[in-house]
């Protein structure tokens, strides 16, 4: 069954290497769990950025090269000399009394960087550490974890160090955004928290125990306007609940594949002459066969957002999730306007929302008429 699923996903992706997941993509995946298109693309490892390019709707978000370079440099600084600077910080923030730490890097195993090998090595070492075996280590740099996403196992190459002390692991997340006077950008902290929750969840899965991994992660950032790191504990229990709930809600991938017409392919490969195997029109046709669930939040979370937004033009979904939910069952903006103006007869199912839309339209008209603001406020009250 798994082989069948894998081969169907390979057919959807075409004969190209699958795109690797990371905590960022899994965190983003949970932002729109109802989207079949995203679920299938991510499960098949379709390169959504490259697909968006081929569809003439290139992605316009992501980290700048400057931010990536700065992030890598800060991480390298914090981890220099076997994480010496980091250990000092961790002693303070986790209140540790240790004189010695063991450090293991999992970027490769004996010169081999195959994912299977790195994952097996990470798993064996982390399980030995959890079992309290001697010399199993304390600091684990870039362990390769594995997580089941929509029925398909994906490797996570975390930008993390799991710190183990007294049988409890802590996920350490190193970010290059600044903490100034003890305050950091709320959006960036929230995004680091959900990414860290992905690591906590994956690590708990690997160890087979929720108790073995703390829900307090340690966020390491530059302090004030310097490159000096500071460490802060962040409670990610809420993010873990959301993540687990949404991962569970992701439809089983087999069911999504079953609903797909035979032969649908998002193959981005090129032939021997360097020409794309599928034309843009064929890719658009394939996309049309895969149900999407666009909302404005997609713009910050999914590479296909500009294509899906264009496709959803005229739909109430483009106005946001809350509007779509308020308008339950009214899919098109012009239908909502027709119901509000009374120029369109409401069906039985639309009767309630039509009455609300007409009332909202009346209040709006009155508030826009000269001296109508006070009157509209009385009506609304
Ligand atoms: S942009 Fe499109 S594919 Fe991506 S999550 Fe939104 S609707 Fe789904």
């Amino acid at each position: 069954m798994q082989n069948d699923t894998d081969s169907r996903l390979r057919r959807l992706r075409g004969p190209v290497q699958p795109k690797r997941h990371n905590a960022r993509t899994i965190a983003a995946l949970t932002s729109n769990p109802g989207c079949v298109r995203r679920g299938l693309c991510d499960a098949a490892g379709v390169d959504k950025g490259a697909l968006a390019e081929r569809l003439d709707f290139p992605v316009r978000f992501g980290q700048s090269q400057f931010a990536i370079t700065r992030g890598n440099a800060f991480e390298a600084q914090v981890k220099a000399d076997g994480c010496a600077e980091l250990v000092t910080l961790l002693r303070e923030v986790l209140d540790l009394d240790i004189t010695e730490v063991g450090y293991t890097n999992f970027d490769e195993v004996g010169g081999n960087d195959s994912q299977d090998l790195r994952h097996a090595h990470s798993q064996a070492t982390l399980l030995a550490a959890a079992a309290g075996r001697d010399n199993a280590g304390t600091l684990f740099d870039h362990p390769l974890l594995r997580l089941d996403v929509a029925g398909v196992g994906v490797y996570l190459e975390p930008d993390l160090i799991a710190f183990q002390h007294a049988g409890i692991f802590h996920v350490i997340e190193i970010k290059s955004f600044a903490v100034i006077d003890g305050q950091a950008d709320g959006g960036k902290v929230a995004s680091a928290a959900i990414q860290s929750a992905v690591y906590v969840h994956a690590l708990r899965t690997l160890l087979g125990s929720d108790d073995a991994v703390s829900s307090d992660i340690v966020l390491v950032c530059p302090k004030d306007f310097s490159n000096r790191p500071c460490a802060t504990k962040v409670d990610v229990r809420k993010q873990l609940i959301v993540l687990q709930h949404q991962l569970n809600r992701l439809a089983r991938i087999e069911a999504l594949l079953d609903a797909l017409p035979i032969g649908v392919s998002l193959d981005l490969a090129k032939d021997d002459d360097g020409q794309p195997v599928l034309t843009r029109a064929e890719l658009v046709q394939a996309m049309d066969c895969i149900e999407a669930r666009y909302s404005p939040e997609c713009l910050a979370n999914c590479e296909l957002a500009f294509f899906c937004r264009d496709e959803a033009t005229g739909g109430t979904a483009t106005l946001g999730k809350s509007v779509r939910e308020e308008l339950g069952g009214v899919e098109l903006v012009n239908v909502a306007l027709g119901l509000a103006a009374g120029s369109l007869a409401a069906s039985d199912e639309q009767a309630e929302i039509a009455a609300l839309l007409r009332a909202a339209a009346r209040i709006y008209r009155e508030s826009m008429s000269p001296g109508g603001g006070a009157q509209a406020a009385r009506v609304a009250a």
Side-chain angles (χ1 to χ4, degrees):
M1 176 63 97
Q2 186 59 50
N3 283 344
D4 181 47
T5 303
D6 287 348
S7 64
R8 290 162 81 191
L9 289 172
R10 254 200 312 276
R11 272 202 299 278
L12 178 64
R13 183 182 70 242
V16 290
Q17 281 298 311
K19 182 88 178 151
R20 278 186 191 177
H21 269 283
N22 55 41
R24 194 184 291 268
T25 64
I26 291 180
L29 175 66
T30 61
S31 72
N32 195 352
C35 180
V36 173
R37 184 176 288 170
R38 174 154 197 158
L40 279 172
C41 284
D42 282 330
V46 172
D47 183 341
K48 298 196 297 300
L51 178 58
E53 290 267 354
R54 287 288 314 282
L55 293 166
D56 289 342
F57 286 94
V59 62
R60 293 181 218 163
F61 72 86
Q63 277 188 303
S64 69
Q65 193 53 46
F66 172 75
I68 293 170
T69 307
R70 176 170 157 71
N72 290 342
F74 181 66
E75 185 183 338
Q77 175 203 325
V78 170
K79 288 181 177 174
D81 303 322
C83 298
E85 198 167 8
L86 188 57
V87 169
T88 309
L89 283 173
L90 293 176
R91 281 188 181 136
E92 285 165 21
V93 77
L94 295 177
D95 199 19
L96 305 179
D97 178 20
I98 49 176
T99 52
E100 212 176 302
V101 290
Y103 168 85
T104 315
N105 185 298
F106 293 89
D107 280 336
E108 55 180 43
V109 184
N112 189 330
D113 64 356
S114 106
Q115 288 194 320
D116 287 346
L117 202 58
R118 287 183 55 208
H119 173 64
H121 182 46
S122 304
Q123 188 172 32
T125 311
L126 288 165
L127 284 171
R133 272 180 232 142
D134 286 347
N135 304 321
T138 323
L139 281 166
F140 307 98
D141 191 348
H142 286 171
L144 195 63
L145 310 177
R146 197 176 145 93
L147 196 59
D148 196 64
V149 179
V152 174
V154 293
Y155 285 121
L156 289 171
E157 189 164 341
D159 171 25
L160 75 77
I161 295 170
F163 189 89
Q164 192 256 352
H165 174 69
I168 304 288
F169 289 81
H170 290 266
V171 165
I172 317 294
E173 184 72 7
I174 301 169
K175 292 289 181 194
S176 62
F177 59 80
V179 174
I180 298 170
D181 287 338
Q183 299 288 320
D185 182 312
K188 289 178 177 167
V189 173
S191 140
I194 184 78
Q195 281 180 43
S196 301
V198 173
Y199 297 140
V200 171
H201 181 61
L203 199 49
R204 285 178 171 181
T205 306
L206 183 145
L207 296 172
S209 160
D210 284 1
D211 295 339
V213 187
S214 174
S215 53
D216 282 341
I217 64 105
V218 180
L219 186 58
V220 178
C221 297
K223 188 175 181 188
D224 297 328
F225 298 99
S226 72
N227 262 347
R228 269 185 44 229
C230 62
T232 318
K233 268 204 262 190
V234 179
D235 181 352
V236 298
R237 269 177 301 178
K238 198 170 128 227
Q239 287 81 359
L240 275 168
I241 291 168
V242 173
L243 176 74
Q244 282 161 341
H245 176 69
Q246 295 194 329
L247 282 175
N248 290 341
R249 271 184 60 198
L250 279 173
R252 298 287 300 169
I253 213 70
E254 288 94 345
L256 303 186
L257 285 165
D258 287 346
L260 212 54
I262 292 167
V264 170
S265 171
L266 297 172
D267 187 351
L268 299 177
K270 295 188 174 168
D271 62 20
D272 293 342
D273 298 328
Q275 295 303 311
V277 171
L278 294 182
T279 63
R280 178 183 181 275
E282 286 168 326
L283 286 172
V284 171
Q285 211 177 7
M287 290 288 270
D288 287 346
C289 297
I290 311 175
E291 189 193 328
R293 196 177 164 83
Y294 177 80
S295 73
E297 289 78 9
C298 293
L299 292 169
N301 292 307
C302 182
E303 294 88 339
L304 295 169
F306 290 99
F307 174 83
C308 296
R309 183 176 68 171
D310 185 71
E311 184 186 58
T313 302
T316 50
T318 56
L319 304 174
K321 280 182 190 160
S322 59
V323 175
R324 185 173 57 193
E325 275 156 26
E326 296 274 336
L327 290 176
V330 179
E331 301 284 335
L332 298 171
V333 172
N334 60 3
V335 172
L337 291 174
L339 292 173
S343 59
L344 204 67
S347 65
D348 287 350
E349 299 82 53
Q350 293 170 334
E352 194 180 337
I353 189 65
L356 284 171
L357 283 167
R358 280 197 299 276
R362 194 180 68 247
I363 293 168
Y364 178 73
R365 274 196 307 276
E366 287 167 359
S367 68
M368 296 305 284
S369 65
Q375 188 191 352
R378 278 199 302 279
V379 174

